[in-house]
């Protein structure tokens, strides 16, 4: 039990993070032309819009919520006047909305990949695995929000802070319910897989686009 817990919540997360880091470096060096979102908008637009918009808003806000809610210690929330009960309530209602958006959006994207011939023909096994993994991780996350009702502020949250500050304490995870453990372990597995998928596009968000100067196009008038 102790050994399994240590392997799952100490060894495995660091293996996943090492693969995540080295995998991105390797992919960047060896496959720079393949480093993109592989847009399929030019093949099919109407059904893409709803799924891709819902999914991206959902997943980006979910990631922001995870970072803010888990990485910031409760004592700082307390200092800001947000006690544990209020923190949990905010996490519950926001998680319910954005988690569902990510999950339903990902299901719609998978349906589109399966049921539209033009999209199916350009879909690889890697694309399907990526979407299935996103559906699984977000699905179990939504399940936990709906049915878990577990107080993770003093267990999962300090554990993940220990992982990112290189002071891990796997014992914090020992009595966490199994559905939370599955969510966490599958999310780390997805992190390890992501450099080898189209998910690399996350790191190339076109932020510069919003700040760049206008590009002027002038018609050349024949004299
Ligand atoms: C950093 C901000 C992000 C930007 C700017 C972005 C942009 C894009 C774009 C342009 C596409 C192609 C859509 C098309 O077919 O035209 C795409 C697809 C996709 N993105 Fe993102 N993305 C971001 C973050 C994320 C995140 C955080 C995830 C998941 C963790 C994600 C997962 C996906 C997936 C799975 C697809 C493929 C959808 C499909 O065609 O089946 N993206 N993204």
């Amino acid at each position: 039990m102790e050994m399994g817990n240590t392997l799952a919540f100490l060894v495995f997360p660091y293996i996943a993070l090492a693969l995540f880091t080295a995998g991105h470096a390797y992919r960047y060096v060896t496959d720079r032309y393949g480093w993109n979102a592989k847009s399929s908008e030019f093949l099919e637009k109407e059904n893409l819009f709803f799924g891709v918009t819902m999914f991206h808003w959902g997943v980006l806000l979910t990631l922001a919520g995870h970072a803010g809610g888990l990485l910031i210690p409760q004592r700082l929330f307390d200092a800001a006047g947000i006690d544990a009960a209020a923190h949990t309530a905010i996490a519950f209602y926001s998680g319910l909305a954005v988690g569902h958006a990510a999950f339903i959006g990902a299901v719609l994207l998978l349906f589109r990949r399966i049921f539209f011939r033009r999209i199916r023909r350009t879909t690889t096994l890697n694309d399907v695995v990526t979407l299935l993994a996103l559906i699984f991780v977000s699905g179990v996350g939504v399940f936990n929000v709906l049915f878990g009702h577990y107080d993770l502020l003093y267990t999962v949250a300090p554990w993940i802070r220990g992982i990112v500050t290189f002071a891990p304490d796997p014992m914090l995870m020992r009595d966490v319910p199994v559905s939370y453990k599955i969510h966490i372990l599958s999310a780390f597995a997805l992190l390890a897989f992501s450099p080898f998928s189209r998910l690399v596009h996350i790191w190339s968000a076109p932020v510069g686009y919003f700040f760049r100067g206008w590009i002027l196009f002038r018609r050349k008038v024949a004299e």
Side-chain angles (χ1 to χ4, degrees):
M1 168 70 183
E2 306 288 284
M3 182 61 146
N5 189 64
T6 306
L7 283 175
F9 297 106
L10 179 82
V11 179
F12 178 64
Y14 282 116
I15 291 179
L17 290 174
L19 274 170
F20 176 82
T21 313
H24 276 100
Y26 173 79
R27 177 88 187 267
Y28 190 74
V29 171
T30 58
D31 182 27
R32 212 168 298 178
Y33 285 112
W35 184 290
N36 60 58
K38 296 201 188 119
S39 171
S40 55
E41 192 184 4
F42 70 105
L43 292 173
E44 194 282 324
K45 213 175 185 145
E46 277 158 34
N47 292 283
L48 172 70
F49 178 77
F50 200 58
V52 92
T53 309
M54 197 169 177
F55 170 73
H56 278 87
W57 277 109
V59 83
L60 288 171
L61 291 173
T62 303
L63 290 175
H66 277 60
L70 294 172
L71 296 182
I72 300 173
Q74 180 54 38
R75 64 190 149 75
L76 294 184
F77 280 101
D78 287 334
I82 303 170
D83 64 13
H87 184 173
T88 307
I90 295 169
F92 176 79
Y93 289 109
S94 58
L96 209 57
V98 298
H100 270 101
F103 174 70
I104 296 168
V107 170
L108 291 175
L109 287 171
L110 184 64
F111 269 43
R112 172 177 173 269
R113 296 227 151 251
I114 294 170
F115 293 115
F116 289 85
R117 201 164 58 99
R118 302 183 86 188
I119 302 301
R120 192 170 56 238
R121 291 233 165 136
T122 53
T123 297
T124 63
L125 177 62
N126 192 305
D127 295 333
V128 176
V129 171
T130 305
L131 283 173
L132 281 175
L134 286 164
I135 289 169
F136 184 79
V137 175
S138 58
V140 180
V142 168
F143 174 89
N144 286 334
V145 176
L146 286 173
F147 307 109
H149 305 301
Y150 175 70
D151 183 8
L152 44 77
L153 291 183
Y154 301 102
T155 50
V156 178
W159 170 75
I160 190 71
R161 286 200 292 278
I163 291 286
V164 298
T165 56
F166 297 104
D169 179 4
M171 293 315 282
L172 286 165
M173 290 299 294
R174 205 182 53 173
D175 300 322
V176 169
V178 71
S179 62
Y180 287 78
K181 289 183 174 173
I182 291 173
H183 176 66
I184 292 164
L185 293 177
S186 58
F188 270 102
L190 181 56
L191 273 184
F193 170 70
S194 66
F196 311 101
S197 72
R198 62 163 77 203
L199 292 180
V200 289
H201 75 274
I202 298 169
W203 308 106
S204 301
V207 181
Y209 178 82
F210 295 104
F211 305 103
R212 66 152 212 229
W214 295 98
I215 297 175
L216 287 180
F217 290 92
R218 289 208 177 88
R219 199 183 320 169
K220 190 170 181 208
V221 183
E223 289 169 20

